[in-house]
Amino acid sequence: MRALLMAFLVVIPSLVLPGTSSDAAQMAALVALVAAVVTFAEYSSEYPTFLEFRNAPPFNRLRFLALFFCVWFAALLMASETHDPALPPTLLENLASGAASVLDFPYSPVRLMSIAFADLPVWFDVASATRIASLLMAVTMIALFLFWVHARFIFWPIRKMAFNFWINLPLFDPTSGRDVLFRLKRDAHFNLALGFLLPFLIPALLRLWIGAFDASMLALPEIMIWVLCAWAFLPLTLMMRGIALFRVAALIEEKRRRAYAQEDELQLV
């Protein structure tokens, strides 16, 4: 089921957007097949490979839902650009306009994205891309808030099962380097800082890319959808990982404190 959902996520733009070329559809089908195979191999294997927090829901579920809604909403809004402008706006368009009115302020990531897109040809609808970016930013902020609440108040990740460090953090070696608590907190700080800065850095990188390469590629609806989704989703992933690492560090610290307290009691006895 996870593999099928990942494949469906990849082909959403090809299914929703009108006039998708056969080459784009074939490429989407190939990427969907690869995503499905990787997901199936990861979750069917007894040993972990690279996916973190595999057995610590809802970490990956929230990430998938956030990316799913980002791709789906962006594809629907892109497809609505071809509708008759005399028709009344849909609920999703109203939500996007409302998100833009809240998040499109000076020096915000949404405003920086609109400035980056301003260098594209005149036939590119910058206002539409700004509304889509605002809605995607709102979706990822909601997902981040939900995960923070779950980790802070619902005893994630030990509410239902014990936390297996190796299964959930396969790329983190707790035996190498300095103390594991120091390294977890250092990585958490780095992920949170980079996740906060990425929405500001990606528009700057886009401006450099637009000036150096063919800017007309960004006007393709499929490319624009994935660029906007990456801009919104990558910071979410990093900040969720930072929160999760802080939570794991807190669990280890609490377990150490209990162990030290029990050792002191035994010595007193």
Side-chain angles (χ1 to χ4, degrees):
M1 181 59 67
R2 291 185 176 99
L4 291 176
L5 288 174
M6 280 300 300
F8 179 66
L9 168 66
V10 174
V11 300
I12 284 177
S14 299
L15 297 176
V16 174
L17 292 174
T20 302
S21 63
S22 59
D23 293 339
Q26 292 175 10
M27 181 60 66
L30 177 61
V31 176
L33 179 62
V34 172
V37 170
V38 171
T39 304
F40 181 81
E42 177 67 38
Y43 278 95
S44 63
S45 174
E46 189 174 340
Y47 305 101
T49 54
F50 64 91
L51 185 64
E52 294 185 329
F53 301 103
R54 191 180 76 177
N55 288 351
F59 184 87
N60 288 314
R61 295 174 186 177
L62 272 176
R63 289 200 307 170
F64 173 81
L65 287 175
L67 183 59
F68 178 84
F69 282 114
C70 284
V71 175
W72 187 31
F73 289 165
L76 289 176
L77 289 172
M78 282 285 185
S80 66
E81 295 298 321
T82 61
H83 294 170
D84 187 359
L87 295 175
T90 62
L91 175 61
L92 192 60
E93 291 173 340
N94 289 330
L95 289 176
S97 299
S101 64
V102 174
L103 298 176
D104 186 13
F105 55 87
Y107 305 106
S108 70
V110 174
R111 179 64 59 85
L112 293 178
M113 284 295 284
S114 64
I115 293 174
F117 291 144
D119 290 340
L120 289 176
V122 293
W123 39 265
F124 179 76
D125 192 355
V126 178
S128 173
T130 303
R131 289 193 297 270
I132 297 173
S134 302
L135 184 60
L136 301 192
M137 178 64 69
V139 170
T140 54
M141 290 173 64
I142 292 172
L144 182 63
F145 176 75
L146 290 176
F147 179 70
W148 176 80
V149 169
H150 196 88
R152 180 67 179 82
F153 299 105
I154 313 183
F155 303 106
W156 181 89
I158 57 172
R159 182 168 177 259
K160 295 183 178 180
M161 64 185 73
F163 183 80
N164 189 312
F165 199 98
W166 176 58
I167 293 292
N168 292 296
L169 289 169
L171 303 180
F172 188 93
D173 186 4
T175 62
S176 64
R178 299 182 60 175
D179 181 65
V180 64
L181 277 178
F182 171 80
R183 294 171 56 214
L184 283 172
K185 293 180 179 179
R186 180 196 61 191
D187 291 354
H189 281 111
F190 175 77
N191 279 271
L192 287 174
L194 184 59
F196 179 79
L197 291 175
L198 266 185
F200 301 91
L201 293 177
I202 292 178
L205 296 177
L206 273 178
R207 283 185 68 91
L208 294 176
W209 187 66
I210 289 172
F213 298 97
D214 185 11
S216 61
M217 290 182 60
L218 281 176
L220 297 175
E222 294 87 353
I223 301 296
M224 179 57 64
I225 287 173
W226 289 112
V227 167
L228 290 174
C229 289
W231 167 77
F233 180 72
L234 290 178
L236 169 69
T237 297
L238 290 172
M239 297 188 78
M240 285 181 62
R241 187 175 188 270
I243 295 173
L245 291 179
F246 266 126
R247 179 61 181 156
V248 173
L251 292 176
I252 296 175
E253 197 169 14
E254 182 180 354
K255 189 172 182 179
R256 282 185 180 180
R257 191 181 301 113
R258 288 199 303 266
Y260 294 154
Q262 291 176 0
E263 184 178 349
D264 293 339
E265 291 177 0
L266 291 175
Q267 290 178 355
L268 290 175
V269 173

